[in-house]
Amino acid sequence: MGLKAKVQSVGSTLSGMVMPNIGAFIAWGLITALFIPTGWMPNEEFSKLVEPMLTYVLPLLIGFTGGSMIYDGHRGGVVGAIATIGVIVGSDIPMFLGAMIVGPLGGWVIKKWDKAVQPHIRQGFEMLVNNFSAGILGGLLALLGVIAIGPLVGGMSAVLQTGVDWIVKANLLPLANVFIEPAKVLFLNNAINQGILTPLGIQQAAESGKSILFLLEPNPGPGLGMLLAFTFFGRGAAKASAPGAIIIQFLGGIHEIYFPYILSKPALLLAVIAGGATGTATFQLLGAGLKATPSPGSIFAVLLMTPKGIGSFIAVLSGVLSATVVSFIISAIILRRSQDDDLDIEAAQAESTARKAESKGKGVRPTINTNAAETTETGDNYIGAYSDENSNLSDYSHIQQIIFACEAGMGSSAMGASLLRDRIKKSDMDIPVTNLAIRNLKAGSDTLVVTQNELADMAAQKAPDALRVAVDNFLTSPKYDEIVMNLKSLQIEQQESAQSETHTQIVVDNIDDIDWSAVKHVDFIHHDQRRGTSTIATSELNNRLQGTEVKASSTPIGQLTDDYSELVISTEEAIANVKLRFTNVQILKVDSIIDMATLDEVAKRLGGK
């Protein structure tokens, strides 16, 4: 694995602990912005929430999430949270970095313990051993956190904070954008923002009430300026799609929408780097900062996290505006000097996908398996951007929900889910569409999973029984039209079938005349008080049907389901009553329902022994 992939892997792990808890960070930021003495609505009672949330709630959430990512959901999370309280007590600063270390460590320790010990636990002692082992190991890690890990991480944080303070005082912070902007295009933004800037920014905000570090990566100005340049000076598809991308990027906060535009003309990196550096310099000059990290990087989220005071808003907006202007001017010059008739934005989107996959240590899937036999062997039954041949209406017959799965479970997957949800609603269908992080994906055959191409293999591992669709881009995929068309066509087909399909009741005494492919259940109907014969017949037939999905039962006539998949076996006396009350069931008339030769033949026809 290359250095970039290793950095991405670490960043993905760190962001995986932070992103699910962004709501808690935003809650803390809003409470801080509103109720502290310098807030919008100072309130002494409400402001008491700020310090406990910062000191305990947020680190414990991170520690729990980190532990649950490593092992067994709740069990790993509990041990991770117990370990986290140790580093909290062992330090006098907010322990976000400490939680990111001991949370996964707690999950790893209990995972190794269970692997070694659980096979040897005597029956009946499982709960006792599991509960005490989690408590003891978590407690030991908490003690270790108080004695060693907490002070160590506190010292590391102090060194890092000192370095950041030195960079700020030396006016070198704008140089950070030389690394941040290219890293965003290479999908390394999580490693930088969630792994480094956010923890240090929270510590800085706890001391001074705000932090400029929250503005470095989420600043929407550089991307906005570049997209505006495409709007005015671009050509072809890039020019036509840029206005829509502006709405998604600047208002929605989904920055990855503009990455393909940069990859279509790599020289545009100079524009976003210059724009980012200009914005950061402006932030620093005017003393801008935010109360907490804005997520996603929307202008609305940035303004919500801005401290009280007209000066604070002017400083933040000035930084965004200056970044936009500089990025726009340089992008415009580059585009005007370009001799290309039309930048290949589709090829750039493919390259963007490739770079994202490479950053995760994976290769982009070059083809989709369309051979039915090979598909069965490999499990590669994707329906995606590379192939349409393996998509058919019957694949959608059991779909009850649709899940969009991406790396973090936010951002572009939420936008994609929203787009498809709107199309399904307009088509008068009632199918829930949700989004989540792919690490939390659990889905069966009743689910359609939509992922990006580079996550198709992981989706296959997480949800092997689900119908899976792989797309290039959650925001622009033509596959959504195909999904809606298939679901709607199936709905219409089912409605027409339900309205027109009526079965003529079949009453036969020749076993060859039964539609055996439709039979899902066998009912033995007894006559008058002769219940014992139907009970015996049921037991004998079920023994012969072991290993099949068809079951038999001794069914009172009042509980019989009037459906073509029901096969009624009975004598002529009982059948007369069945014919009067039911019209759809299949009926096999026999002289005796405990005739073993008949039961053998019925079992044989249904795949039994």
Side-chain angles (χ1 to χ4, degrees), residues 383-412:
I383 301 170
Y386 300 111
S387 175
D388 292 329
E389 283 111 340
N390 55 345
S391 174
N392 57 73
L393 196 60
S394 63
D395 292 329
Y396 291 79
S397 59
H398 300 296
I399 299 303
Q400 300 295 321
Q401 64 172 338
I402 300 173
I403 296 176
F404 279 70
C406 69
E407 186 178 15
M410 302 175 71
S412 58

PDB file of all heavy atoms in Angstrom, residues 383-412:
ATOM      1  N   ILE A 383     -24.944  -4.112 -11.132  1.00  0.00           N
ATOM      2  CA  ILE A 383     -25.639  -3.435 -12.219  1.00  0.00           C
ATOM      3  C   ILE A 383     -25.135  -2.009 -12.154  1.00  0.00           C
ATOM      4  O   ILE A 383     -25.446  -1.287 -11.224  1.00  0.00           O
ATOM      5  CB  ILE A 383     -27.157  -3.478 -12.024  1.00  0.00           C
ATOM      6  CG1 ILE A 383     -27.642  -4.927 -11.950  1.00  0.00           C
ATOM      7  CG2 ILE A 383     -27.869  -2.741 -13.149  1.00  0.00           C
ATOM      8  CD1 ILE A 383     -29.075  -5.039 -11.535  1.00  0.00           C
ATOM      9  N   GLY A 384     -24.342  -1.579 -13.083  1.00  0.00           N
ATOM     10  CA  GLY A 384     -23.724  -0.280 -12.896  1.00  0.00           C
ATOM     11  C   GLY A 384     -23.365   0.424 -14.171  1.00  0.00           C
ATOM     12  O   GLY A 384     -23.879   0.138 -15.245  1.00  0.00           O
ATOM     13  N   ALA A 385     -22.441   1.370 -14.039  1.00  0.00           N
ATOM     14  CA  ALA A 385     -22.113   2.252 -15.138  1.00  0.00           C
ATOM     15  C   ALA A 385     -21.456   1.514 -16.291  1.00  0.00           C
ATOM     16  O   ALA A 385     -21.422   2.017 -17.396  1.00  0.00           O
ATOM     17  CB  ALA A 385     -21.201   3.361 -14.644  1.00  0.00           C
ATOM     18  N   TYR A 386     -20.918   0.313 -16.057  1.00  0.00           N
ATOM     19  CA  TYR A 386     -20.185  -0.381 -17.103  1.00  0.00           C
ATOM     20  C   TYR A 386     -21.042  -1.359 -17.886  1.00  0.00           C
ATOM     21  O   TYR A 386     -20.643  -1.834 -18.922  1.00  0.00           O
ATOM     22  CB  TYR A 386     -18.997  -1.132 -16.498  1.00  0.00           C
ATOM     23  CG  TYR A 386     -18.037  -0.238 -15.805  1.00  0.00           C
ATOM     24  CD1 TYR A 386     -17.904  -0.291 -14.426  1.00  0.00           C
ATOM     25  CD2 TYR A 386     -17.267   0.679 -16.501  1.00  0.00           C
ATOM     26  CE1 TYR A 386     -17.010   0.538 -13.771  1.00  0.00           C
ATOM     27  CE2 TYR A 386     -16.384   1.509 -15.852  1.00  0.00           C
ATOM     28  CZ  TYR A 386     -16.255   1.433 -14.482  1.00  0.00           C
ATOM     29  OH  TYR A 386     -15.377   2.260 -13.825  1.00  0.00           O
ATOM     30  N   SER A 387     -22.209  -1.727 -17.397  1.00  0.00           N
ATOM     31  CA  SER A 387     -22.992  -2.735 -18.091  1.00  0.00           C
ATOM     32  C   SER A 387     -24.464  -2.599 -17.771  1.00  0.00           C
ATOM     33  O   SER A 387     -24.844  -2.337 -16.641  1.00  0.00           O
ATOM     34  CB  SER A 387     -22.527  -4.141 -17.689  1.00  0.00           C
ATOM     35  OG  SER A 387     -23.357  -5.112 -18.263  1.00  0.00           O
ATOM     36  N   ASP A 388     -25.299  -2.791 -18.777  1.00  0.00           N
ATOM     37  CA  ASP A 388     -26.740  -2.779 -18.585  1.00  0.00           C
ATOM     38  C   ASP A 388     -27.355  -4.149 -18.837  1.00  0.00           C
ATOM     39  O   ASP A 388     -28.516  -4.373 -18.552  1.00  0.00           O
ATOM     40  CB  ASP A 388     -27.413  -1.768 -19.531  1.00  0.00           C
ATOM     41  CG  ASP A 388     -27.062  -0.336 -19.175  1.00  0.00           C
ATOM     42  OD1 ASP A 388     -26.834  -0.058 -17.999  1.00  0.00           O
ATOM     43  OD2 ASP A 388     -27.011   0.465 -20.101  1.00  0.00           O
ATOM     44  N   GLU A 389     -26.553  -5.074 -19.380  1.00  0.00           N
ATOM     45  CA  GLU A 389     -27.122  -6.332 -19.824  1.00  0.00           C
ATOM     46  C   GLU A 389     -27.673  -7.182 -18.689  1.00  0.00           C
ATOM     47  O   GLU A 389     -28.600  -7.945 -18.895  1.00  0.00           O
ATOM     48  CB  GLU A 389     -26.065  -7.142 -20.591  1.00  0.00           C
ATOM     49  CG  GLU A 389     -25.873  -6.605 -21.978  1.00  0.00           C
ATOM     50  CD  GLU A 389     -24.525  -5.955 -22.171  1.00  0.00           C
ATOM     51  OE1 GLU A 389     -23.865  -5.582 -21.203  1.00  0.00           O
ATOM     52  OE2 GLU A 389     -24.146  -5.847 -23.324  1.00  0.00           O
ATOM     53  N   ASN A 390     -27.084  -7.074 -17.503  1.00  0.00           N
ATOM     54  CA  ASN A 390     -27.526  -7.950 -16.423  1.00  0.00           C
ATOM     55  C   ASN A 390     -28.615  -7.320 -15.567  1.00  0.00           C
ATOM     56  O   ASN A 390     -28.881  -7.768 -14.481  1.00  0.00           O
ATOM     57  CB  ASN A 390     -26.350  -8.378 -15.539  1.00  0.00           C
ATOM     58  CG  ASN A 390     -25.591  -7.184 -15.005  1.00  0.00           C
ATOM     59  OD1 ASN A 390     -25.743  -6.073 -15.492  1.00  0.00           O
ATOM     60  ND2 ASN A 390     -24.766  -7.407 -14.002  1.00  0.00           N
ATOM     61  N   SER A 391     -29.242  -6.273 -16.059  1.00  0.00           N
ATOM     62  CA  SER A 391     -30.356  -5.647 -15.357  1.00  0.00           C
ATOM     63  C   SER A 391     -31.660  -6.088 -16.004  1.00  0.00           C
ATOM     64  O   SER A 391     -31.849  -5.915 -17.197  1.00  0.00           O
ATOM     65  CB  SER A 391     -30.231  -4.126 -15.433  1.00  0.00           C
ATOM     66  OG  SER A 391     -31.366  -3.517 -14.868  1.00  0.00           O
ATOM     67  N   ASN A 392     -32.558  -6.676 -15.223  1.00  0.00           N
ATOM     68  CA  ASN A 392     -33.854  -7.047 -15.763  1.00  0.00           C
ATOM     69  C   ASN A 392     -34.920  -6.824 -14.710  1.00  0.00           C
ATOM     70  O   ASN A 392     -34.646  -6.666 -13.529  1.00  0.00           O
ATOM     71  CB  ASN A 392     -33.860  -8.498 -16.257  1.00  0.00           C
ATOM     72  CG  ASN A 392     -33.472  -9.458 -15.146  1.00  0.00           C
ATOM     73  OD1 ASN A 392     -34.251  -9.705 -14.240  1.00  0.00           O
ATOM     74  ND2 ASN A 392     -32.259 -10.003 -15.216  1.00  0.00           N
ATOM     75  N   LEU A 393     -36.169  -6.820 -15.178  1.00  0.00           N
ATOM     76  CA  LEU A 393     -37.276  -6.437 -14.325  1.00  0.00           C
ATOM     77  C   LEU A 393     -37.421  -7.337 -13.111  1.00  0.00           C
ATOM     78  O   LEU A 393     -37.727  -6.879 -12.011  1.00  0.00           O
ATOM     79  CB  LEU A 393     -38.565  -6.438 -15.149  1.00  0.00           C
ATOM     80  CG  LEU A 393     -39.768  -5.704 -14.554  1.00  0.00           C
ATOM     81  CD1 LEU A 393     -39.452  -4.252 -14.346  1.00  0.00           C
ATOM     82  CD2 LEU A 393     -40.976  -5.865 -15.474  1.00  0.00           C
ATOM     83  N   SER A 394     -37.174  -8.639 -13.305  1.00  0.00           N
ATOM     84  CA  SER A 394     -37.362  -9.577 -12.198  1.00  0.00           C
ATOM     85  C   SER A 394     -36.412  -9.310 -11.043  1.00  0.00           C
ATOM     86  O   SER A 394     -36.700  -9.673  -9.903  1.00  0.00           O
ATOM     87  CB  SER A 394     -37.186 -11.012 -12.697  1.00  0.00           C
ATOM     88  OG  SER A 394     -35.862 -11.215 -13.169  1.00  0.00           O
ATOM     89  N   ASP A 395     -35.261  -8.668 -11.315  1.00  0.00           N
ATOM     90  CA  ASP A 395     -34.324  -8.353 -10.239  1.00  0.00           C
ATOM     91  C   ASP A 395     -34.951  -7.447  -9.186  1.00  0.00           C
ATOM     92  O   ASP A 395     -34.516  -7.419  -8.039  1.00  0.00           O
ATOM     93  CB  ASP A 395     -33.075  -7.658 -10.807  1.00  0.00           C
ATOM     94  CG  ASP A 395     -32.233  -8.594 -11.655  1.00  0.00           C
ATOM     95  OD1 ASP A 395     -32.224  -9.798 -11.354  1.00  0.00           O
ATOM     96  OD2 ASP A 395     -31.602  -8.118 -12.602  1.00  0.00           O
ATOM     97  N   TYR A 396     -35.962  -6.686  -9.593  1.00  0.00           N
ATOM     98  CA  TYR A 396     -36.556  -5.691  -8.702  1.00  0.00           C
ATOM     99  C   TYR A 396     -37.825  -6.184  -8.008  1.00  0.00           C
ATOM    100  O   TYR A 396     -38.463  -5.428  -7.285  1.00  0.00           O
ATOM    101  CB  TYR A 396     -36.883  -4.417  -9.492  1.00  0.00           C
ATOM    102  CG  TYR A 396     -35.670  -3.655  -9.955  1.00  0.00           C
ATOM    103  CD1 TYR A 396     -34.951  -4.068 -11.066  1.00  0.00           C
ATOM    104  CD2 TYR A 396     -35.234  -2.523  -9.273  1.00  0.00           C
ATOM    105  CE1 TYR A 396     -33.823  -3.381 -11.492  1.00  0.00           C
ATOM    106  CE2 TYR A 396     -34.107  -1.828  -9.690  1.00  0.00           C
ATOM    107  CZ  TYR A 396     -33.407  -2.261 -10.799  1.00  0.00           C
ATOM    108  OH  TYR A 396     -32.289  -1.575 -11.209  1.00  0.00           O
ATOM    109  N   SER A 397     -38.191  -7.443  -8.228  1.00  0.00           N
ATOM    110  CA  SER A 397     -39.494  -7.921  -7.770  1.00  0.00           C
ATOM    111  C   SER A 397     -39.633  -7.946  -6.256  1.00  0.00           C
ATOM    112  O   SER A 397     -40.755  -7.886  -5.740  1.00  0.00           O
ATOM    113  CB  SER A 397     -39.758  -9.321  -8.343  1.00  0.00           C
ATOM    114  OG  SER A 397     -38.746 -10.231  -7.930  1.00  0.00           O
ATOM    115  N   HIS A 398     -38.535  -8.033  -5.518  1.00  0.00           N
ATOM    116  CA  HIS A 398     -38.624  -8.126  -4.055  1.00  0.00           C
ATOM    117  C   HIS A 398     -38.138  -6.860  -3.348  1.00  0.00           C
ATOM    118  O   HIS A 398     -38.024  -6.848  -2.125  1.00  0.00           O
ATOM    119  CB  HIS A 398     -37.799  -9.318  -3.553  1.00  0.00           C
ATOM    120  CG  HIS A 398     -38.236 -10.630  -4.108  1.00  0.00           C
ATOM    121  ND1 HIS A 398     -39.472 -11.176  -3.846  1.00  0.00           N
ATOM    122  CD2 HIS A 398     -37.617 -11.502  -4.945  1.00  0.00           C
ATOM    123  CE1 HIS A 398     -39.588 -12.331  -4.466  1.00  0.00           C
ATOM    124  NE2 HIS A 398     -38.473 -12.551  -5.150  1.00  0.00           N
ATOM    125  N   ILE A 399     -37.847  -5.811  -4.097  1.00  0.00           N
ATOM    126  CA  ILE A 399     -37.262  -4.617  -3.494  1.00  0.00           C
ATOM    127  C   ILE A 399     -38.279  -3.872  -2.633  1.00  0.00           C
ATOM    128  O   ILE A 399     -39.338  -3.456  -3.111  1.00  0.00           O
ATOM    129  CB  ILE A 399     -36.692  -3.674  -4.584  1.00  0.00           C
ATOM    130  CG1 ILE A 399     -35.596  -4.381  -5.362  1.00  0.00           C
ATOM    131  CG2 ILE A 399     -36.168  -2.388  -3.955  1.00  0.00           C
ATOM    132  CD1 ILE A 399     -34.452  -4.884  -4.513  1.00  0.00           C
ATOM    133  N   GLN A 400     -37.937  -3.696  -1.350  1.00  0.00           N
ATOM    134  CA  GLN A 400     -38.782  -2.966  -0.404  1.00  0.00           C
ATOM    135  C   GLN A 400     -38.136  -1.673   0.081  1.00  0.00           C
ATOM    136  O   GLN A 400     -38.812  -0.814   0.651  1.00  0.00           O
ATOM    137  CB  GLN A 400     -39.084  -3.849   0.812  1.00  0.00           C
ATOM    138  CG  GLN A 400     -39.801  -5.143   0.474  1.00  0.00           C
ATOM    139  CD  GLN A 400     -41.183  -4.905  -0.087  1.00  0.00           C
ATOM    140  OE1 GLN A 400     -41.898  -4.012   0.363  1.00  0.00           O
ATOM    141  NE2 GLN A 400     -41.568  -5.701  -1.078  1.00  0.00           N
ATOM    142  N   GLN A 401     -36.835  -1.510  -0.129  1.00  0.00           N
ATOM    143  CA  GLN A 401     -36.146  -0.297   0.298  1.00  0.00           C
ATOM    144  C   GLN A 401     -34.894  -0.097  -0.553  1.00  0.00           C
ATOM    145  O   GLN A 401     -34.393  -1.031  -1.181  1.00  0.00           O
ATOM    146  CB  GLN A 401     -35.756  -0.379   1.772  1.00  0.00           C
ATOM    147  CG  GLN A 401     -34.741  -1.474   2.085  1.00  0.00           C
ATOM    148  CD  GLN A 401     -34.223  -1.411   3.507  1.00  0.00           C
ATOM    149  OE1 GLN A 401     -34.265  -0.382   4.158  1.00  0.00           O
ATOM    150  NE2 GLN A 401     -33.724  -2.539   4.002  1.00  0.00           N
ATOM    151  N   ILE A 402     -34.417   1.156  -0.582  1.00  0.00           N
ATOM    152  CA  ILE A 402     -33.210   1.505  -1.325  1.00  0.00           C
ATOM    153  C   ILE A 402     -32.253   2.209  -0.369  1.00  0.00           C
ATOM    154  O   ILE A 402     -32.650   3.118   0.366  1.00  0.00           O
ATOM    155  CB  ILE A 402     -33.535   2.424  -2.517  1.00  0.00           C
ATOM    156  CG1 ILE A 402     -34.511   1.717  -3.478  1.00  0.00           C
ATOM    157  CG2 ILE A 402     -32.262   2.822  -3.250  1.00  0.00           C
ATOM    158  CD1 ILE A 402     -35.012   2.600  -4.597  1.00  0.00           C
ATOM    159  N   ILE A 403     -30.987   1.777  -0.384  1.00  0.00           N
ATOM    160  CA  ILE A 403     -29.973   2.363   0.497  1.00  0.00           C
ATOM    161  C   ILE A 403     -28.818   2.880  -0.341  1.00  0.00           C
ATOM    162  O   ILE A 403     -28.264   2.148  -1.171  1.00  0.00           O
ATOM    163  CB  ILE A 403     -29.450   1.336   1.522  1.00  0.00           C
ATOM    164  CG1 ILE A 403     -30.579   0.896   2.465  1.00  0.00           C
ATOM    165  CG2 ILE A 403     -28.290   1.923   2.319  1.00  0.00           C
ATOM    166  CD1 ILE A 403     -30.145  -0.182   3.443  1.00  0.00           C
ATOM    167  N   PHE A 404     -28.456   4.141  -0.140  1.00  0.00           N
ATOM    168  CA  PHE A 404     -27.248   4.697  -0.729  1.00  0.00           C
ATOM    169  C   PHE A 404     -26.126   4.559   0.299  1.00  0.00           C
ATOM    170  O   PHE A 404     -26.271   5.008   1.443  1.00  0.00           O
ATOM    171  CB  PHE A 404     -27.438   6.179  -1.076  1.00  0.00           C
ATOM    172  CG  PHE A 404     -28.152   6.411  -2.377  1.00  0.00           C
ATOM    173  CD1 PHE A 404     -29.499   6.108  -2.509  1.00  0.00           C
ATOM    174  CD2 PHE A 404     -27.478   6.923  -3.477  1.00  0.00           C
ATOM    175  CE1 PHE A 404     -30.168   6.308  -3.701  1.00  0.00           C
ATOM    176  CE2 PHE A 404     -28.135   7.128  -4.680  1.00  0.00           C
ATOM    177  CZ  PHE A 404     -29.478   6.826  -4.794  1.00  0.00           C
ATOM    178  N   ALA A 405     -25.030   3.934  -0.085  1.00  0.00           N
ATOM    179  CA  ALA A 405     -23.922   3.699   0.845  1.00  0.00           C
ATOM    180  C   ALA A 405     -22.652   4.344   0.304  1.00  0.00           C
ATOM    181  O   ALA A 405     -22.257   4.094  -0.834  1.00  0.00           O
ATOM    182  CB  ALA A 405     -23.700   2.197   1.054  1.00  0.00           C
ATOM    183  N   CYS A 406     -22.044   5.196   1.110  1.00  0.00           N
ATOM    184  CA  CYS A 406     -20.766   5.797   0.739  1.00  0.00           C
ATOM    185  C   CYS A 406     -19.808   5.664   1.909  1.00  0.00           C
ATOM    186  O   CYS A 406     -20.135   5.055   2.931  1.00  0.00           O
ATOM    187  CB  CYS A 406     -20.923   7.263   0.336  1.00  0.00           C
ATOM    188  SG  CYS A 406     -21.350   8.375   1.687  1.00  0.00           S
ATOM    189  N   GLU A 407     -18.639   6.225   1.791  1.00  0.00           N
ATOM    190  CA  GLU A 407     -17.609   6.015   2.804  1.00  0.00           C
ATOM    191  C   GLU A 407     -18.026   6.556   4.165  1.00  0.00           C
ATOM    192  O   GLU A 407     -17.894   5.897   5.181  1.00  0.00           O
ATOM    193  CB  GLU A 407     -16.306   6.676   2.355  1.00  0.00           C
ATOM    194  CG  GLU A 407     -15.136   6.370   3.285  1.00  0.00           C
ATOM    195  CD  GLU A 407     -13.847   6.999   2.803  1.00  0.00           C
ATOM    196  OE1 GLU A 407     -13.914   7.887   1.932  1.00  0.00           O
ATOM    197  OE2 GLU A 407     -12.785   6.612   3.295  1.00  0.00           O
ATOM    198  N   ALA A 408     -18.539   7.788   4.199  1.00  0.00           N
ATOM    199  CA  ALA A 408     -18.880   8.405   5.480  1.00  0.00           C
ATOM    200  C   ALA A 408     -20.373   8.364   5.770  1.00  0.00           C
ATOM    201  O   ALA A 408     -20.787   8.621   6.891  1.00  0.00           O
ATOM    202  CB  ALA A 408     -18.394   9.859   5.512  1.00  0.00           C
ATOM    203  N   GLY A 409     -21.197   8.071   4.774  1.00  0.00           N
ATOM    204  CA  GLY A 409     -22.636   8.043   4.996  1.00  0.00           C
ATOM    205  C   GLY A 409     -23.269   9.419   5.008  1.00  0.00           C
ATOM    206  O   GLY A 409     -24.402   9.586   5.455  1.00  0.00           O
ATOM    207  N   MET A 410     -22.562  10.417   4.517  1.00  0.00           N
ATOM    208  CA  MET A 410     -23.071  11.777   4.476  1.00  0.00           C
ATOM    209  C   MET A 410     -22.771  12.348   3.090  1.00  0.00           C
ATOM    210  O   MET A 410     -22.401  11.651   2.174  1.00  0.00           O
ATOM    211  CB  MET A 410     -22.426  12.618   5.587  1.00  0.00           C
ATOM    212  CG  MET A 410     -22.639  12.063   6.981  1.00  0.00           C
ATOM    213  SD  MET A 410     -21.751  12.971   8.253  1.00  0.00           S
ATOM    214  CE  MET A 410     -22.698  14.499   8.289  1.00  0.00           C
ATOM    215  N   GLY A 411     -22.924  13.622   2.937  1.00  0.00           N
ATOM    216  CA  GLY A 411     -22.493  14.306   1.728  1.00  0.00           C
ATOM    217  C   GLY A 411     -23.179  13.818   0.476  1.00  0.00           C
ATOM    218  O   GLY A 411     -24.399  13.880   0.336  1.00  0.00           O
ATOM    219  N   SER A 412     -22.387  13.302  -0.469  1.00  0.00           N
ATOM    220  CA  SER A 412     -22.915  12.981  -1.796  1.00  0.00           C
ATOM    221  C   SER A 412     -23.948  11.860  -1.745  1.00  0.00           C
ATOM    222  O   SER A 412     -24.896  11.863  -2.533  1.00  0.00           O
ATOM    223  CB  SER A 412     -21.769  12.592  -2.731  1.00  0.00           C
ATOM    224  OG  SER A 412     -21.051  11.491  -2.205  1.00  0.00           O
TER     225      SER A 412
END
